[in-house]
Amino acid sequence: MKLEAFENIRIDKYISDEFEEIPREKIKTFIKDEKIKVNDKKIKPSYKLEIDDEIYIDDELFKVPEIKPEEMDLKIVYENEDFAIIDKDEDVIVHPAGSIITGTLVNALIYKYGYDGLSHIGGDDRPGIVHRLDKDTTGLMVIAKNNDSYKYLKTLFETRKVDKEYLAIVHGNFEQRTGRIENFMDRDPNNRRKMAVTSSGRIAISEYEVLKEVQGYSLVKIHIITGRTHQIRVHMTDINHPLVGDPVYGNVKTKFNLDHQLLHCAYLGFTDKNGEYLSFTKKPHKTFLKYQNILGLGE
């Protein structure tokens, strides 16, 4: 891989930020063992990258340990021979990452469908996974049961032909009941584990509608046209309406003992391979509903 724009960053930090699933200590070990080199030379973990540096990384760094099946309460909304629609719970990581190889959605999918009952061209550690939700984001996801289905669904996502609507509880009240947010999004140059609105990068588009509001808080429906990492959380923070409970982007003190964002994928719709438009809806889970009622944002 060739470095183009991340000058003066430590090599171990750069790789850790680029591949979040790999523990930094493992990266340091690989550097010391010369399995990670820069410009074909041995370097230290503290080496600071320069523009046009060329990084070599041994493929062994990305090897995935065996993922074992685990029984979990999977909420199946719909399924056929090609895909399943599930309603993901909070506090569930979608796929193994780094030292986390148990308790993920993938472990549960392998238990229910078997490895051969899922697509496997999206990565050895991601059988069936076409798209992701953050650990504490709940709601609808589509799972591919075979490789042909994965290719079809992946194309739909990449060409923006999947309709996705989320519900979020955010800080503040809006001057306009509806709006469109369109800008560019990329890694935050000050913290590469975060995303940020930037002057360049990949286009990110969200549309929102305020459903209900009380003093200081709003219930919002958000339609994402693109699907960038943390898109809703970044977009709402950028317009000064961070999600309640968001520990990464919100940084707003509340009276609630809440350590994760209140965000739920409530609607998913797409046209299947037979030309039929399928749509699915699911109400938010108990934690979301709890705070929605506490704040007076319930129906």
Side-chain angles (χ1 to χ4, degrees):
M1 57 188 295
K2 192 169 183 180
L3 183 74
E4 294 182 347
F6 300 104
E7 189 177 15
N8 209 33
I9 297 175
R10 283 176 56 123
I11 177 70
D12 59 340
K13 184 178 188 307
Y14 173 76
I15 296 175
S16 177
D17 289 348
E18 285 294 308
F19 307 103
E20 296 180 15
E21 67 275 14
I22 301 174
R24 193 158 171 178
E25 289 304 313
K26 184 177 180 181
I27 293 168
K28 288 182 178 180
T29 299
F30 266 62
I31 292 172
K32 292 173 182 176
D33 292 344
E34 297 187 53
K35 293 181 179 180
I36 295 176
K37 295 188 285 187
V38 177
N39 302 325
D40 205 30
K41 296 178 181 178
K42 180 178 180 178
I43 40 87
K44 295 181 179 180
S46 59
Y47 174 84
K48 292 191 176 179
L49 292 164
E50 299 177 1
I51 292 177
D52 291 330
D53 272 349
E54 193 159 313
I55 304 170
Y56 163 80
I57 303 176
D58 192 298
D59 289 343
E60 187 181 335
L61 184 68
F62 306 102
K63 283 188 177 178
V64 179
E66 181 185 0
I67 304 170
K68 296 182 179 179
E70 295 177 33
E71 187 173 8
M72 184 185 296
D73 181 23
L74 278 178
K75 296 182 173 69
I76 307 295
V77 177
Y78 171 88
E79 64 179 321
N80 58 26
E81 62 182 10
D82 290 318
F83 62 85
I85 303 296
I86 67 165
D87 181 16
K88 187 184 89 67
D89 282 327
E90 65 185 65
D91 197 30
V92 174
I93 296 174
V94 169
H95 60 75
S99 59
I100 301 173
I101 58 173
T102 62
T104 74
L105 179 62
V106 162
N107 296 98
L109 291 173
I110 294 175
Y111 180 89
K112 181 170 180 61
Y113 297 110
Y115 184 81
D116 292 336
L118 298 164
S119 67
H120 54 265
I121 57 175
D124 291 339
D125 60 340
R126 306 179 188 189
I129 302 302
V130 182
H131 64 121
R132 292 182 290 175
L133 294 179
D134 294 339
K135 173 186 174 184
D136 288 310
T137 298
T138 58
L140 297 167
M141 287 183 63
V142 58
I143 304 299
K145 290 187 176 182
N146 53 64
N147 289 341
D148 287 342
S149 177
Y150 176 90
K151 292 175 185 177
Y152 178 79
L153 291 166
K154 196 69 175 176
T155 299
L156 291 184
F157 277 96
E158 290 175 348
T159 55
R160 305 178 190 174
K161 294 180 180 178
V162 178
D163 297 318
K164 296 159 286 183
E165 290 182 357
Y166 291 73
L167 294 175
I169 297 177
V170 305
H171 288 277
N173 300 127
F174 293 72
E175 292 183 4
Q176 297 181 327
R177 303 289 294 186
T178 61
R180 179 182 172 97
I181 307 167
E182 182 171 347
N183 46 36
F184 295 100
M185 197 172 289
D186 207 340
R187 295 279 184 181
D188 187 331
N190 298 315
N191 182 351
R192 290 184 50 73
R193 289 191 180 276
K194 296 173 62 176
M195 303 297 289
V197 171
T198 55
S199 58
S200 61
R202 302 178 72 187
I203 190 72
I205 307 170
S206 303
E207 296 174 337
Y208 68 84
E209 176 187 356
V210 179
L211 301 179
K212 191 171 183 178
E213 58 184 8
V214 295
Q215 183 62 42
Y217 299 95
S218 299
L219 175 65
V220 184
K221 179 173 70 175
I222 304 163
H223 172 215
I224 59 170
I225 297 173
T226 56
R228 308 300 172 223
T229 301
H230 298 173
Q231 177 172 317
I232 292 174
R233 298 164 68 185
V234 173
H235 267 170
M236 299 313 290
T237 298
D238 190 60
I239 63 170
N240 298 316
H241 293 290
L243 273 63
V244 172
D246 193 331
V248 177
Y249 298 99
N251 198 26
V252 178
K253 291 185 178 180
T254 69
K255 57 186 177 182
F256 309 117
N257 183 23
L258 185 63
D259 62 358
H260 64 269
Q261 68 276 3
L262 295 175
L263 182 62
H264 174 77
C265 183
Y267 178 92
L268 194 64
F270 57 88
T271 300
D272 70 10
K273 67 179 184 181
N274 299 317
E276 180 182 1
Y277 186 83
L278 304 175
S279 62
F280 309 93
T281 58
K282 205 68 183 175
K283 290 183 177 180
H285 296 194
K286 60 181 181 181
T287 301
F288 191 107
L289 294 174
K290 171 185 174 181
Y291 289 99
Q292 184 178 351
N293 290 330
I294 288 174
L295 290 167
L297 292 169
E299 297 178 354

